[in-house]
Amino acid sequence: MPFSSQQPHKKNLKDHTCQVMANQNVGNQLYILTLKTNDPDGFYCRAGQFVMIDMPTPVFYFRRPMSVLAVHDDGRFDVFYKVHGQGTQIMAQWQPGIEIQVLGPLGNTFTPPTEPETALLIGGGIGIAPLYMLGQEIKNRTENRTPNCYYGVRSHQEVGLKDSLEAQFGSKCLHLSSDDGSVGFHGNVGDLLKQNRERVQAAKEAYICGPTVMMEACFQLLREMNPAIRVEVSLEERMPCGTGACTGCVVFRSDQPLPSKVCVEGPVFDATTLIWRPSAPLSPEENIVCSR
């Protein structure tokens, strides 16, 4: 039976005033942004959830959605991002001490695996962030039982989290691939999975996050090698609001008559229910008019 991801922790949803503690360049245009909330209750988040980060400049009207990489006990939390547009270019210039508004946590969470040791965590690019956090949750819940992590990048300059991943998963459970062969297996992450067919066939669950094309290809490959495997994907979509008001991040599912909002009903979905194509605008009769 397909598994469904857990519901959002709405009681923890707040608009946090956060201070930038660090903004470290860890690779080719890759950064780890460390924030600390001034909320005395701290910041709580589960693997798969995300935050909406405000851009403190009049140039931008909307916040930026970012997956949470890690949460610390003292109110700090980390965001892993890549500079690829004007908004992230501004983020890369943030210095420790400035304050920004962060709405979260938003979205739903991954479903814990029934067999942690055989579970597959498959990431591409910055899509590794929620999977890194999932790996930590699994180890915390199961007394250090470690899932297998497969991570594909373009080159060694875009791993970014290599040291953290090695500490998290260990050399036996971390499997890297690069398009140019400069780190790990020479090829994409799908090719890497083919090289580990026995592990794929033994797995009960898999979790994928990364570019849409990569996620779809890996999902189809997993089902070919192991038809019984259950797969959850964390979608990367543009999100103007993050709260379901604007319908700007809809996707289509075979089990739902109307489009689903990734920010509210996701970002984690049962991969078997997704209609794998780019998000499309709602038809006039489906469109929800919201005040501006």
Side-chain angles (χ1 to χ4, degrees):
M1 182 177 67
F3 54 7
S4 59
S5 47
Q6 299 181 23
Q7 294 301 309
H9 296 264
K10 293 185 181 299
K11 65 180 181 180
N12 299 300
L13 175 61
K14 294 180 181 179
D15 196 5
H16 296 264
T17 299
C18 295
Q19 184 178 51
V20 173
M21 306 302 292
N23 197 14
Q24 182 183 7
N25 186 332
V26 294
N28 182 23
Q29 298 295 300
L30 295 170
Y31 289 80
I32 296 178
L33 174 66
T34 301
L35 301 168
K36 184 174 183 179
T37 179
N38 65 2
D39 191 318
D41 294 330
F43 181 84
Y44 177 82
C45 183
R46 290 279 305 283
Q49 293 185 291
F50 65 98
V51 294
M52 297 293 292
I53 298 181
D54 189 32
M55 299 283 109
T57 167
V59 176
F60 299 99
Y61 296 100
F62 303 109
R63 302 189 184 199
R64 293 295 187 271
M66 296 284 170
S67 294
V68 177
L69 173 69
V71 176
H72 308 279
D73 294 335
D74 60 356
R76 292 179 300 126
F77 59 99
D78 300 328
V79 170
F80 183 47
Y81 70 98
K82 183 175 184 178
V83 175
H84 56 76
Q86 192 174 5
T88 45
Q89 287 175 357
I90 291 176
M91 287 178 61
Q93 299 171 14
W94 290 349
Q95 298 296 317
I98 74 166
E99 288 190 345
I100 59 173
Q101 294 299 122
V102 179
L103 181 66
L106 296 160
N108 61 358
T109 68
F110 292 109
T111 306
T114 57
E115 295 187 7
E117 293 94 341
T118 68
L120 310 176
L121 279 55
I122 306 166
I126 58 173
I128 194 64
L131 301 177
Y132 176 85
M133 190 172 182
L134 176 61
Q136 186 62 59
E137 285 189 2
I138 292 173
K139 291 179 69 175
N140 290 343
R141 291 177 180 176
T142 60
E143 298 181 352
N144 290 321
R145 294 162 70 185
T146 305
N148 283 284
C149 178
Y150 296 86
Y151 183 31
V153 294
R154 293 179 179 177
S155 73
H156 71 282
Q157 294 179 317
E158 300 196 1
V159 178
L161 301 176
K162 189 172 186 295
D163 292 343
S164 298
L165 290 169
E166 289 176 345
Q168 175 86 284
F169 296 100
S171 59
K172 291 185 178 180
C173 294
L174 176 62
H175 314 276
L176 299 177
S177 70
S178 56
D179 294 345
D180 65 358
S182 58
V183 63
F185 174 80
H186 189 177
N188 60 45
V189 72
D191 296 329
L192 179 60
L193 290 171
K194 293 177 184 177
Q195 295 294 316
N196 290 268
R197 181 177 295 271
E198 290 185 2
R199 281 197 176 106
V200 172
Q201 292 175 334
K204 300 295 183 182
E205 297 105 352
Y207 307 84
I208 313 174
C209 186
T212 300
V213 173
M214 164 259 174
M215 289 193 291
E216 179 182 7
C218 286
F219 167 61
Q220 299 297 344
L221 182 61
L222 291 173
R223 294 302 294 267
E224 289 174 7
M225 291 193 286
N226 183 353
I229 194 169
R230 300 180 293 175
V231 183
E232 283 188 343
V233 294
S234 179
L235 299 185
E236 297 180 343
E237 292 288 332
R238 295 179 179 177
M239 296 180 186
C241 73
T243 60
C246 69
T247 68
C249 62
V250 298
V251 294
F252 297 84
R253 292 196 286 167
S254 59
D255 62 339
Q256 298 293 328
L258 294 177
S260 297
K261 300 174 184 178
V262 174
C263 64
V264 176
E265 298 171 68
V268 179
F269 292 95
D270 179 344
T272 61
T273 69
L274 290 175
I275 297 175
W276 290 94
R277 58 171 173 164
S279 298
L282 299 179
S283 63
E285 59 271 18
E286 294 171 337
N287 188 42
I288 300 174
V289 178
C290 56
S291 60
R292 301 190 179 190

